[in-house]
Amino acid sequence: MSILIRGGRVVTASAEFVGDVYVEGGAVRLLGERLDLSADEVIDATGKLVLPGGIDPHTHLDMAVGRGLVTSDDFDSGTAAALFGGTTTLIDFANQEPGHSTFEALDDLKARAAGKAHCDWSCHMTVTDMAPDRLPELDALVADGISSFKMFMAYPGRLYTDDRTRFRTYRHVAGLGGVILMHAETGLVIDELVADAIAAGHTAPIWHARTRPPELAAEAIHRSAVLAKLAGVPLYIVHMNSAQGVEAMRRAKADGVEILGEVCPQYLHLDASWLERPDGGRYICSPPIRPLGHQEALWRALLAGEFTTVATDHAPFTTAERALGAEDFRLIPNGLPGVEERMSYLYSEGVVKRGLSLREFVALTSTRAAQTFGLYPRKGTIAPGADADLLVWDPQVRRTLRAADPAIHHSRVDYSCYEGLEVQGGPEVVIQGGRVAVRGGALCSRGQGRFLRRGPYARPAV
Ligand code: URP
Ligand code: ZN
Ligand code: ZN
């Protein structure tokens, strides 16, 4: 199967030109201004952008969180929604159960994805329990293509890891050429604040945010950065969300820490007042969405090139599941949906409204995730030999985001964090692995997603 994409503006993180892209056998073969080639299919991209397929390095598909609750997108609906939004690769999470091996977690996730994934995918390993005799598991995982490890400073009694476990893991991962992902919130102190709030009768959703102040995110970023520097491991802070957190990242960088920041559209878009609405439980995530002001601080950092990636932390739960915590915010499952909206949101709010460059848009949505997580140059760029994951992007199309609109909402969740927002720009054709995956509002290629074995960490070069 060959495809010739003609006459679009081809944009990578480091270059752009108007011309043609020729794809054959699942890979990009040739780029040029007027390629003298025929193909099984010719796509006219005049007036359109041709971009590398998006990479979302932070999703939680089919993830069990206890009490019988599971994120509402599995690998079928979640990867379909990703593709409709222009994301052709996801990196999800295998979550080690304390006391169990990491291999069990990986096998479980692979079984959940089997035969369902429509786009390519991989996973980070969430480490919760790393006794010294378990460390060789990490060597085996890296050899098997899992080179990134997430740890939590939040959620004591569940996912939380202590300093000793974290430092031990950091040092071992440093020796393996991997990268640590950190959920940076000081969970032990948060638990004290939560207990106080509940004792005082404060059970409404806004108290979820009030008991997780940004100072405790900044403090956790600082502390994890100090230990990462000592261990010599690159540290990727997931879901950065506050002005204080950005300051902590800046200080760590100035101190020579190899620290990278991920931000998510929900933290750029929503503020804590949403938690005080009658449906406030829908907007519970950890770290929480922040009071007005933090969003502009995050945008300023993004426009200044301080973030490495824009990911989603896609962790959808339905309105009914969130209502379980109507009387007690502790019972609301954490996490927000957004895998389909990520690229259109950032294009519209970033490129169109705030002057984000096209190359930085590509770097944030694709290239740097590929570099950080060992997928580059197979993914994250448009170059001969790279996987043919390509978007023909219409820079003019306008849509109003609505969860009830089946043409633009494919996630199995009954609301959108961006409800009513008009966005400009979106994918017209999505090509994944050299096949047309989405066109004309239809998913044309099903179940073709591959599990990706990833290489070591590489410092993002763009
Ligand atoms: O609230 C969130 N973010 N839930 C998903 C799990 C995590 O912490 O990333
Ligand atoms: Zn997290
Ligand atoms: Zn997450």
Side-chain angles (χ1 to χ4, degrees):
M1 170 76 183
S2 58
I3 302 176
L4 182 59
I5 307 171
R6 278 225 186 271
R9 174 170 290 280
V10 181
V11 185
T12 68
S14 54
E16 50 196 288
F17 74 101
V18 175
D20 305 342
V21 180
Y22 179 71
V23 164
E24 193 178 45
V28 173
R29 298 294 169 198
L30 270 178
L31 309 178
E33 292 205 345
R34 272 191 196 79
L35 295 178
D36 187 14
L37 289 168
S38 56
D40 298 328
E41 173 163 5
V42 177
I43 298 174
D44 180 7
T46 310
K48 306 284 166 28
L49 305 173
V50 181
L51 309 175
I55 300 174
D56 187 341
H58 190 159
T59 62
H60 299 278
L61 302 181
D62 205 357
M63 178 178 75
V65 295
R67 294 182 288 136
L69 293 166
V70 180
T71 51
S72 57
D73 276 318
D74 65 5
F75 275 81
D76 172 15
S77 62
T79 57
L83 282 171
F84 277 109
T87 292
T88 51
T89 298
L90 298 179
I91 313 183
D92 208 89
F93 292 84
N95 300 314
Q96 179 198 22
E97 292 285 336
H100 291 252
S101 92
T102 54
F103 303 141
E104 281 175 49
L106 182 57
D107 289 348
D108 177 63
L109 191 72
K110 284 184 172 171
R112 287 171 186 264
K116 289 187 177 170
H118 307 301
C119 71
D120 286 352
W121 71 283
S122 177
C123 63
H124 313 284
M125 177 59 67
T126 301
V127 170
T128 55
D129 172 4
M130 200 39 64
D133 61 353
R134 226 182 246 302
L135 287 168
E137 289 184 21
L138 304 185
D139 303 51
L141 288 168
V142 170
D144 213 23
I146 313 270
S147 51
S148 45
F149 300 89
K150 183 176 183 189
M151 305 192 84
F152 283 80
M153 297 169 83
Y155 304 130
R158 240 169 19 96
L159 299 160
Y160 172 83
T161 44
D162 62 20
D163 285 354
R164 189 204 320 250
T165 304
R166 270 185 272 114
F167 189 59
R168 178 186 296 143
T169 308
Y170 286 7
R171 286 210 287 195
H172 202 79
V173 169
L176 296 172
V179 54
I180 295 289
L181 290 79
M182 182 53 63
H183 179 126
E185 285 190 297
T186 307
L188 295 170
V189 177
I190 287 169
D191 273 7
E192 290 295 301
L193 298 178
V194 169
D196 287 356
I198 295 294
H202 300 310
T203 57
I206 186 66
W207 286 92
H208 174 78
R210 290 185 183 152
T211 54
R212 307 179 88 94
E215 288 77 4
L216 293 182
E219 188 271 341
I221 291 171
H222 169 71
R223 205 147 46 83
S224 57
V226 169
L227 296 190
K229 187 179 177 194
L230 273 177
V233 76
L235 181 69
Y236 175 97
I237 307 292
V238 291
H239 44 49
M240 290 200 55
N241 54 87
S242 68
Q244 289 92 329
V246 171
E247 269 307 316
M249 177 174 75
R250 280 185 193 133
R251 281 195 297 273
K253 274 186 189 164
D255 193 31
V257 183
E258 180 96 349
I259 186 168
L260 306 96
E262 167 195 281
V263 70
C264 311
Q266 57 269 34
Y267 296 113
L268 294 166
H269 189 63
L270 302 173
D271 66 76
S273 69
W274 288 64
L275 296 169
E276 299 192 82
R277 296 169 25 151
D279 65 345
R282 282 173 159 179
Y283 307 102
I284 293 277
C285 56
S286 295
I289 52 177
R290 299 298 187 188
L292 209 55
H294 289 273
Q295 300 71 29
E296 276 315 310
L298 295 172
W299 271 115
R300 274 197 299 279
L302 185 148
L303 294 169
E306 294 184 84
F307 290 123
T308 300
T309 60
V310 174
T312 60
D313 193 11
H314 181 76
F317 294 95
T318 63
T319 304
E321 288 165 334
R322 288 169 176 281
L324 295 171
E327 307 298 326
D328 181 345
F329 68 84
R330 294 174 299 174
L331 301 179
I332 302 175
N334 286 202
L336 299 183
V339 74
E340 188 163 359
E341 291 99 332
R342 177 182 73 124
M343 295 190 72
S344 288
Y345 176 83
L346 187 65
Y347 186 88
S348 189
E349 293 291 315
V351 176
V352 177
K353 290 196 187 155
R354 292 177 171 85
L356 180 71
S357 76
L358 282 175
R359 295 181 199 190
E360 183 64 8
F361 172 71
V362 169
L364 284 166
T365 55
S366 181
T367 313
R368 292 202 201 104
Q371 294 172 332
T372 305
F373 298 117
L375 290 169
Y376 191 83
R378 176 177 174 188
K379 305 280 188 192
T381 192
I382 303 176
D387 280 3
D389 298 347
L390 300 164
L391 310 179
V392 178
W393 185 273
D394 184 342
Q396 300 300 337
V397 67
R398 286 173 180 275
R399 295 166 304 154
T400 302
L401 300 178
R402 296 208 185 284
D405 183 346
I408 57 170
H409 183 94
H410 299 85
S411 181
R412 266 186 222 143
V413 64
D414 57 344
Y415 73 99
S416 165
C417 296
Y418 313 95
E419 185 72 20
L421 181 72
E422 181 173 291
V423 290
Q424 179 185 329
E428 184 175 284
V429 181
V430 178
I431 296 171
Q432 210 266 326
R435 273 182 296 266
V436 173
V438 171
R439 177 165 37 202
L443 186 63
C444 315
S445 163
R446 302 186 67 84
Q448 300 293 328
R450 296 163 294 185
F451 177 75
L452 303 170
R453 294 162 68 96
R454 297 182 286 112
Y457 166 81
R459 179 181 299 156
V462 288

